[in-house]
Amino acid sequence: KNIVQNAVNSKDHTTLVAAVKAAGLVDTLMSPGPFTVFAPVNKAFEKLPAGTVESLLKPENKATLTSVLTYHVIASKLSADDLKAKVQAGGGKATLTTVQGETLTVEQDGRRIAIIDAKGDKSFVTIPDVNQSNGVIHVVDTVLLP
C-alpha cells in the first residue's frame, strides 16, 4: 500500500490524514514518489497551541497548512539507517531539504533520531522504517514547523 492508504488505517494519525485531505495532498502522496514522510501522531498535533489545528484546517488557511505538511516530506526514500549514515557523514548533523523547500536538521540523540525544525524545536522518531510502496514513513512525536 502507499503512504496514504496506510495512514488512513492508523488510529494514531487521524489528524494528519484530515490535514492531508484538507490541503489537497492525497494525490501527491499516492503518486509513485519515492517519499520519506515524518508523520506526526495525533498527540503531536495536540501539543500545538489551542486552536492551531482547527485554524489550519480552515479553507482560507490551505496554503499555510500545505506548507506545514510538505515540510514533513522529503522527495526520496531515506531509511533510518540512511538518516544515521547522513548524520555520521555530516559530523553529527545532516541537513535535508523538504518538499516545502526549507530544511530540516537530523541528528542522533542517544539511540533516537531527532529531527529539528527551522524554529529549533526537536521531534523524535518513535517508529522508524514503516515501508510503503512509494516510500517510507517515520512516525514522529512533534509537529515540525517551517
Side-chain angles (χ1 to χ4, degrees):
K1 291 182 178 176
N2 65 43
I3 289 166
V4 174
Q5 289 168 329
N6 276 317
V8 297
N9 291 319
S10 169
K11 66 183 184 333
D12 291 327
H13 290 93
T14 55
T15 304
L16 178 62
V17 169
V20 166
K21 289 177 179 175
L25 293 172
V26 171
D27 288 344
T28 302
L29 291 175
M30 288 182 76
S31 72
F35 301 108
T36 298
V37 176
F38 298 108
V41 291
N42 293 340
K43 285 189 186 314
F45 284 97
E46 291 168 13
K47 288 189 206 175
L48 294 170
T52 302
V53 173
E54 294 77 9
S55 176
L56 283 171
L57 293 176
K58 291 180 178 171
E60 62 267 26
N61 294 326
K62 184 176 177 181
T64 303
L65 177 62
T66 300
S67 177
V68 169
L69 291 175
T70 55
Y71 190 61
H72 290 77
V73 182
I74 309 298
S76 63
K77 183 177 179 181
L78 297 169
S79 69
D81 284 344
D82 293 336
L83 293 172
K84 289 174 186 173
K86 284 181 174 290
V87 168
Q88 276 191 322
K93 289 183 191 251
T95 302
L96 304 176
T97 301
T98 69
V99 170
Q100 182 259 5
E102 293 184 47
T103 59
L104 291 169
T105 302
V106 181
E107 61 185 31
Q108 191 84 31
D109 189 311
R111 299 185 64 207
R112 303 186 297 176
I113 297 171
I115 314 295
I116 298 107
D117 68 17
K119 295 178 174 19
D121 291 328
K122 197 177 275 193
S123 182
F124 292 101
V125 174
T126 56
I127 303 172
D129 297 331
V130 185
N131 287 299
Q132 316 296 313
S133 64
N134 62 341
V136 63
I137 292 172
H138 300 293
V139 178
V140 295
D141 65 358
T142 305
V143 175
L144 302 161
L145 296 172

